[in-house]
Amino acid sequence: MATAGSGGDGETETSSLHLEAEWPNLGDKKRMISSGNPFEYLVETLVCSPDKTFFNISKLQGTEYDALPYCIRVVLETVVRNCDGVLVKEDDAMKVLKWNTNCECQEIPFLPARVVLQDFTGIPAMVDYAAMRDAMKKLDRDPKLVNPACPTDLIVDHSLQLDFTKCSAAQTGSTASSIDSPRQSSKLPPAKPASTKSHCRGQSSCKGACDSGSTSQSSREQIENTPMLCPFHLQPIPEPEAALKSLELEFNRNKERLQFFKWCSKAFKNVTVIPPETGTVHQVNLEYLSRLVMEKEGFLYPDSVLGTDSHTTMVNGLGILGLGFGGIESEAAMLGIPISLNLPEVVGCEVTGSVSQLSTSIDVVLSITKHLRQADLSGRFVEFFGEGVSQLSVVDRTTIANMCPEYGATVAFFPVDQVTLSHLKQTGVDEQRLRVFEAYMKAVKLLKEENSTTIPRYSKVLEINLNTIVPYVSGPKRPQDRVSVTDMKKDFETCLNEKVGSRGFHIPAERQKLEVSVTYKSSEYMLSHGSVLIAAVISCTNNCNPSVMLTAGLLAKKAVEAGLKVKPYIRTSLSPGSGTVTHYLTASGVLPFLNQLG
C-alpha cells in the first residue's frame, strides 16, 4: 500500500510520501478466499505468471456473462470473491449474473477493494476507530487490534481558502511560483494573532470587522482562529507570499485536526494518510492510489473504490469502478461489512465520430453533460462504448467521468482498452506488471478488445456524435447550460432581457449599457454588465486535465507577450490538482506567465 506519514512536531513531512503500489510477497492463496466460498472451483492460475491466481468469473455461465456490461462484471467479481454464505451469499452472485431481469428490484452486497476518505468525512470515521480503541483498552484488550479491514486512504483536502490575494504590482514584478514548492508550507512559522487595525485601506463601503478598526465581540467570535479580514477587502500582499500566508493561516486554523491525522498515520494499520498540500482527493486517487488490478498475497482482483466524495467517479475513466457514498456506508466498508447496492440499470452511451481540433475535453464534457441530463439517469450506471471512445484519451475520459454527478448518474464507466494500457505505460507502470494486468483483464473478459464486435446488453442506448461538438462556455448562471463561443455575446444580451430565472436577468433596456464607477486602491474603474471580477482555475474538472491546463498556460504566455495585464480588482487564483500538474506547468515553461498574470 501507499504510505504517507508525518514528521517532527508541528511539521508535516512529505519526503516519506511514496505513492507507488507495493506488491507483497506471496503467501497462502487460500487466505484470500472466504471460508466456504462456493465458487472456489473458479480459481485459476494466470498463464503468464504461475505464481498468481484469480477467480475466472468468465466461466460462470459464459453466455450470460458475455452479455453483461463491463461495470456489472466488476460487481459480479466482487460478489463472487467475497461470498462467504453469511454476509454475501451464492444467490447474490446469481442475481448479478441475471442482472438484466433483476435490475432496480434486487439488492446485492458490495464490498469495494478500498475506501477513499477526504478530511471532512475522514475525521468522524477515524474518531470512531479511536473510540473503539479506547473501548478495547477499558476491556483490558490490546487496542492495536482495532484497524480497518478494508484498505483505506485518507487525503487531507478541501481545506485551503484564499485569505490573501496577490498584489497588483506582483503581476509585472514577480515570476516566482506561489505553489511550486509544496514542502515549504510544512515549515511555516505559527500564525501570528490577527491585527485589529483596518485592512481595507479606507474603503468606506466595508461594514464588517474591518470598518474603522472595529473589534466588536460578535466579530471576534466568528470562527475560531479566523483572521479579522473583511471577505470583500482581503489584504493584498506580494507574490509568492500570498500563497504562503494563506497556508500559514490554514495550518493554524486546522492544527488540532491535522495533529489527529498525523497520529492516525502512525497508529493504524491499513490506513494511508496523504498530507495536506499534496493535491485534491480526486487527482491523488487517480494518479497515485488507483491500481486497476489489485494484488494481495499473489491473488489478483479488479480495483474498485468507495469514496466519500461525489466526484470519486473520476476513476471510472481509467476503467476502475468508483462510487461516491456517505460516511456511514464508507465506515461499514472499512469494517469489512458489504454495503447494500441496488442492481442498477446500465445505460449504454454509444460515442461516434471524433473531436474537432478546436474543441477541448471540457467542450466534450459540457456537451455530454447536457445530453445526459435530459435522459433521467438518476441512480443508473452509464457505460461508454463505440468507435468514438478510442478517440478519447484517458485524460478526456476521466474529465467526463468527473462530471458524472452533474448529469445524475451513479457511475460513468469507460471499460479498460488499449488506450488505457498505453496510458499506464506512458505514466511509468512497470512493463512486467502491465503484462500481468493485461493477461488478467483478458482472462476475466474485462479488457475491451479493439476489434471486438460484441456489444453488451444495455437497459437502453443513447448516441453522442463527437463531430457535432464545437467550443462552448457554460452559463451564464448554471454550469450545465452550454453556449457556443461564437454565440456567447448574442446569448448574454438575450439573457439580460429574459425574465429572472435559470438564465434570465430581466435588466431594463435603458440600464443594459449602464457603467458604474468603482474605486479600488485609490484608482477608479468602470464596471458594467458582464465585467469579470473573479478569474479562478480551481475546479477539479479542469485542473486534472493536462491539455486544458497547458492551453491556459499558453494563453497566459500569449497575453503576457502581448502586454496584457489583469485588472487589479479581479480576484485571480490557480490551484493545480497535484504536484504532477505543477511539474508539467513548470517543465513546459508556462508557470511564470501564469504568475505574471497573478
Side-chain angles (χ1 to χ4, degrees):
M1 282 298 297
T3 56
S6 297
D9 294 341
E11 291 188 345
T12 304
E13 237 178 354
T14 57
S15 59
S16 63
L17 186 62
H18 182 69
L19 296 169
E20 186 179 351
E22 295 178 5
W23 293 60
N25 294 326
L26 298 178
D28 182 9
K29 314 287 190 302
K30 300 291 183 183
R31 291 170 56 192
M32 275 302 300
I33 305 173
S34 300
S35 176
N37 192 317
F39 299 104
E40 191 172 342
Y41 68 93
L42 294 174
V43 176
E44 292 186 3
T45 300
L46 194 65
V47 175
C48 70
S49 186
D51 58 345
K52 293 176 173 54
T53 56
F54 63 99
F55 275 107
N56 193 348
I57 52 173
S58 66
K59 293 187 176 180
L60 195 64
Q61 298 183 20
T63 54
E64 291 190 33
Y65 179 84
D66 291 344
L68 292 177
Y70 288 86
C71 54
I72 297 298
R73 298 180 193 185
V74 177
V75 174
L76 176 60
E77 194 281 340
T78 301
V79 173
V80 167
R81 176 166 37 87
N82 292 291
C83 187
D84 58 2
V86 181
L87 295 176
V88 184
K89 300 179 181 179
E90 186 175 1
D91 285 346
D92 295 320
M94 293 301 107
K95 290 177 185 177
V96 181
L97 194 62
K98 301 181 185 300
W99 155 83
N100 207 31
T101 57
N102 290 325
C103 60
E104 292 202 326
C105 63
Q106 296 283 354
E107 289 187 351
I108 51 105
F110 176 77
L111 186 63
R114 55 191 178 90
V115 173
V116 167
L117 307 172
Q118 34 94 321
D119 51 357
F120 283 177
T121 49
I123 279 281
M126 299 316 299
V127 166
D128 286 347
Y129 271 89
M132 284 189 278
R133 284 200 167 191
D134 281 345
M136 288 284 284
K137 187 175 182 180
K138 290 178 181 178
L139 295 172
D140 293 326
R141 299 288 301 276
D142 184 4
K144 293 183 179 180
L145 294 175
V146 177
N147 293 290
C150 182
T152 301
D153 301 305
L154 196 161
I155 304 170
V156 184
D157 180 23
H158 286 77
S159 301
L160 186 62
Q161 66 187 54
L162 195 63
D163 292 290
F164 297 95
T165 184
K166 48 81 184 171
C167 176
S168 58
Q171 293 184 38
T172 57
S174 173
T175 60
S177 169
S178 61
I179 32 188
D180 193 32
S181 304
R183 290 195 173 99
Q184 277 187 280
S185 61
S186 64
K187 301 183 181 301
L188 291 171
K192 297 178 181 178
S195 171
T196 58
K197 69 179 182 179
S198 172
H199 289 298
C200 290
R201 309 294 175 89
Q203 291 288 335
S204 59
S205 60
C206 177
K207 298 299 179 184
C210 302
D211 186 32
S212 303
S214 170
T215 55
S216 65
Q217 184 65 23
S218 61
S219 67
R220 288 180 182 272
E221 296 174 354
Q222 37 183 323
I223 300 177
E224 183 182 3
N225 291 329
T226 299
M228 306 297 291
L229 296 177
C230 168
F232 298 102
H233 298 104
L234 300 185
Q235 181 173 351
I237 56 179
E239 288 268 12
E241 193 181 352
L244 296 179
K245 281 284 187 180
S246 291
L247 288 176
E248 182 182 343
L249 287 171
E250 165 71 12
F251 276 78
N252 185 63
R253 268 193 206 104
N254 299 287
K255 182 177 179 181
E256 186 175 1
R257 69 188 184 116
L258 291 177
Q259 287 178 334
F260 175 69
F261 285 144
K262 177 179 176 180
W263 173 80
C264 290
S265 70
K266 298 178 178 180
F268 292 102
K269 296 179 180 179
N270 227 15
V271 173
T272 302
V273 178
I274 309 300
E277 310 315 320
T278 302
T280 61
V281 56
H282 326 295
Q283 190 79 358
V284 173
N285 184 29
L286 180 71
E287 290 180 358
Y288 301 113
L289 303 177
S290 297
R291 305 285 193 272
L292 188 61
V293 176
M294 305 287 285
E295 178 181 355
K296 187 175 181 181
E297 298 172 351
F299 204 92
L300 303 176
Y301 53 101
D303 189 4
S304 58
V305 58
L306 194 69
T308 54
D309 192 288
S310 59
H311 291 278
T312 304
T313 53
M314 186 174 181
V315 295
N316 293 333
L318 198 58
I320 296 169
L321 186 63
L323 301 97
F325 272 83
I328 296 176
E329 291 86 354
S330 298
E331 283 200 52
M334 291 170 67
L335 290 166
I337 301 174
I339 66 168
S340 181
L341 183 69
N342 281 331
L343 269 178
E345 287 188 6
V346 179
V347 177
C349 186
E350 184 176 10
V351 183
T352 58
S354 57
V355 183
S356 164
Q357 289 185 343
L358 296 177
S359 301
T360 68
S361 55
I362 303 302
D363 299 321
V364 177
V365 167
L366 291 174
S367 299
I368 291 178
T369 299
K370 184 174 182 179
H371 191 82
L372 296 182
R373 280 182 71 90
Q374 300 168 351
D376 186 24
L377 298 174
S378 178
R380 294 169 172 80
F381 286 13
V382 175
E383 185 168 292
F384 295 86
F385 71 100
E387 59 178 354
V389 172
S390 62
Q391 304 297 316
L392 299 173
S393 68
V394 168
V395 168
D396 294 336
R397 297 176 186 186
T398 54
T399 307
I400 294 168
N402 180 279
M403 289 288 281
C404 180
E406 307 302 329
Y407 42 83
T410 304
V411 163
F413 195 77
F414 286 85
V416 177
D417 58 9
Q418 290 302 321
V419 175
T420 313
L421 297 176
S422 297
H423 172 83
L424 294 174
K425 183 177 181 180
Q426 183 183 13
T427 52
V429 176
D430 181 76
E431 289 191 13
Q432 174 59 28
R433 295 182 188 176
L434 204 55
R435 282 194 291 270
V436 171
F437 288 174
E438 185 172 3
Y440 170 72
M441 300 301 272
K442 282 183 178 178
V444 294
K445 297 184 179 179
L446 286 175
L447 179 67
K448 188 171 179 60
E449 300 288 354
E450 194 170 347
N451 299 320
S452 174
T453 57
T454 304
I455 298 177
R457 188 185 303 123
Y458 296 109
S459 304
K460 62 178 178 180
V461 174
L462 305 174
E463 295 181 7
I464 293 179
N465 189 344
L466 298 179
N467 292 328
T468 63
I469 297 175
V470 297
Y472 292 106
V473 292
S474 61
K477 290 186 175 182
R478 303 186 305 178
Q480 68 265 29
D481 292 329
R482 58 174 187 166
V483 181
S484 170
V485 172
T486 55
D487 298 332
M488 184 171 61
K489 181 178 179 180
K490 181 180 178 181
D491 181 83
F492 185 71
E493 291 174 345
T494 302
C495 291
L496 291 177
N497 292 309
E498 288 183 3
K499 292 183 178 180
V500 175
S502 60
R503 293 181 58 81
F505 298 93
H506 198 55
I507 306 296
E510 66 273 11
R511 296 181 60 85
Q512 291 181 12
K513 302 295 183 181
L514 180 66
E515 292 188 342
V516 178
S517 175
V518 174
T519 302
Y520 179 81
K521 295 185 64 178
S522 303
S523 298
E524 187 175 316
Y525 302 93
M526 302 303 294
L527 300 183
S528 61
H529 296 297
S531 293
V532 175
L533 298 179
I534 297 175
V537 185
I538 58 174
S539 167
C540 59
T541 309
N542 290 309
N543 61 24
C544 70
N545 192 311
S547 64
V548 174
M549 294 295 285
L550 289 171
T551 298
L554 291 172
L555 183 63
K557 179 176 182 292
K558 293 291 186 182
V560 171
E561 291 172 348
L564 300 178
K565 298 178 182 178
V566 178
K567 297 292 185 183
Y569 57 79
I570 298 177
R571 177 74 57 77
T572 58
S573 59
L574 168 66
S575 175
S578 70
T580 301
V581 180
T582 303
H583 171 73
Y584 65 64
L585 287 177
T586 304
S588 62
V590 298
L591 192 57
F593 299 101
L594 287 164
N595 275 296
Q596 284 188 57
L597 294 178

